[in-house]
Amino acid sequence: MKLPVQRFKKLKSSIFIACLFCVISCSTNAQSDDNIEDPIEEEEIIEEETEETTDAKYDISSILAIYDNLSSVSYSISGTTVTFTTSNLPNHKSPYYKDTEWHDDLYEDYTGSNSSFRLNPNRIDEQDITLSIPLHPKKATSLTQTPMGPIGISRNGVVFFNQYAAGRADLDGEINSFDQFLGHPTGTSMYHYHIEPTFLTDTFGEDALLGLLSDGFPVYGPKEGNETITSSDLDEYHGHFGATKEFPKGIYHYHVTADAPYINGDGFYGTPGTVAR
Ligand SMILES: [Zn+2]
Ligand SMILES: [Zn+2]
């Protein structure tokens, strides 16, 4: 009668081992499921954070074609920098071409609507301006104020200036010398836009991409879809984050507005490259 008892004991211990095995293997499975799930969750979180804090992933190389086929501009990419060279001659008519070598082709008397317009004594001349701009613009960790002189390059090669006249005075004294396309030349014959370049918005649309500031972030016209943007819709740098035609996944971008500060606000959102002239 000993044998059956021993057999039963053996059976009992094999059931126990089998159960033990099951418990271990089940818990191992549970653990490995967790291991599969965790990285996905982490990836999703990282992606959300990247979208909120923006940048890093921005790449402006896809829009550089707007600068193709312009006799005034050339550009090249080296590493993470795009370098523009511009002669800065506007490709539209202006009273500031008066008596210059381009007079016959590009001079036009003032045709704008400002009854207080007065031609300043300066005339347009060729420049040799080089702007090196980051190809992957990023939000800056410290603020850089815009300099006097070029702060970016519009899509016809003419430079953007900030919202100040000499001595960081407001533009009121200068606005009456803006020509029919709202640009004018400096004492060094450098034509520039402080406000909406209406030749470009007339040509490409009020919601169009108009160029880049030196920090690599794009500048758009005063409309987004059918809505007219004002400075109160924008942050202190005069931009905001959102999808655009050229960047459907969203990018930080500036808008030109009819009200001051027009193109840029309190300095660059990103870290600017360099300007040489
Ligand atoms: Zn000016
Ligand atoms: Zn916008």
Side-chain angles (χ1 to χ4, degrees):
M1 293 303 282
K2 260 186 171 177
L3 267 178
V5 175
Q6 267 179 344
R7 265 189 196 161
F8 178 63
K9 272 186 177 171
K10 252 189 182 171
L11 190 66
K12 228 173 126 183
S13 65
S14 23
I15 287 168
F16 175 74
I17 287 166
C19 284
L20 194 68
F21 179 77
C22 178
V23 167
I24 289 167
S25 75
C26 286
S27 78
T28 307
N29 276 348
Q31 232 170 22
S32 62
D33 280 349
D34 278 353
N35 284 343
I36 290 165
E37 272 168 27
D38 275 346
I40 294 169
E41 265 170 19
E42 264 168 38
E43 250 172 50
E44 275 169 5
I45 289 163
I46 288 164
E47 214 167 56
E48 274 167 27
E49 277 175 2
T50 312
E51 226 152 61
E52 277 165 17
T53 59
T54 63
D55 32 83
K57 61 184 180 172
Y58 296 149
D59 184 348
I60 57 167
S61 52
S62 62
I63 59 111
L64 296 177
I66 63 169
Y67 295 99
D68 289 347
N69 311 314
L70 285 165
S71 55
S72 60
V73 182
S74 63
Y75 66 89
S76 62
I77 295 170
S78 172
T80 57
T81 302
V82 54
T83 300
F84 293 93
T85 303
T86 177
S87 68
N88 199 54
L89 291 175
N91 59 345
H92 56 70
K93 298 200 167 178
S94 171
Y96 290 106
Y97 273 122
K98 187 178 172 64
D99 299 330
T100 66
E101 63 183 278
W102 303 277
H103 180 106
D104 290 350
D105 292 330
L106 291 165
Y107 170 75
E108 182 181 69
D109 206 359
Y110 181 69
T111 58
S113 57
N114 178 4
S115 57
S116 306
F117 172 77
R118 50 168 181 82
L119 198 72
N120 79 22
N122 310 321
R123 296 292 177 269
I124 296 167
D125 202 358
E126 237 166 340
Q127 308 290 316
D128 184 9
I129 304 169
T130 301
L131 298 102
S132 295
I133 290 178
L135 201 56
H136 303 288
K138 279 205 285 208
K139 181 175 174 26
T141 49
S142 62
L143 176 72
T144 309
Q145 291 292 344
T146 54
M148 299 305 282
I151 64 163
I153 181 167
S154 66
R155 65 184 293 171
N156 62 349
V158 169
V159 290
F160 290 121
F161 273 30
N162 67 16
Q163 68 274 37
Y164 301 115
R168 290 184 101 78
D170 67 36
L171 284 176
D172 292 356
E174 292 207 353
I175 280 175
N176 287 337
S177 70
F178 293 169
D179 68 15
Q180 49 269 48
F181 296 114
L182 305 183
H184 70 170
T186 63
T188 58
S189 305
M190 188 188 292
Y191 190 81
H192 57 277
Y193 305 120
H194 293 273
I195 66 174
E196 178 181 346
T198 50
F199 176 76
L200 298 178
T201 45
D202 288 352
T203 305
F204 299 106
E206 294 238 280
D207 59 350
L209 172 62
L210 303 180
L212 297 165
L213 290 199
S214 313
D215 61 358
F217 286 106
V219 180
Y220 283 81
K223 283 200 165 180
E224 194 142 72
N226 292 323
E227 247 175 80
T228 299
I229 304 279
T230 69
S231 295
S232 64
D233 300 314
L234 304 171
D235 67 15
E236 64 266 43
Y237 313 104
H238 215 247
H240 63 182
F241 179 86
T244 70
K245 192 177 128 219
E246 290 77 12
F247 298 95
K249 287 182 181 163
I251 189 168
Y252 184 85
H253 57 280
Y254 300 101
H255 277 281
V256 170
T257 59
D259 60 328
Y262 312 111
I263 298 175
N264 176 268
D266 186 23
F268 292 106
Y269 174 79
T271 305
T274 57
V275 178
R277 52 186 161 122

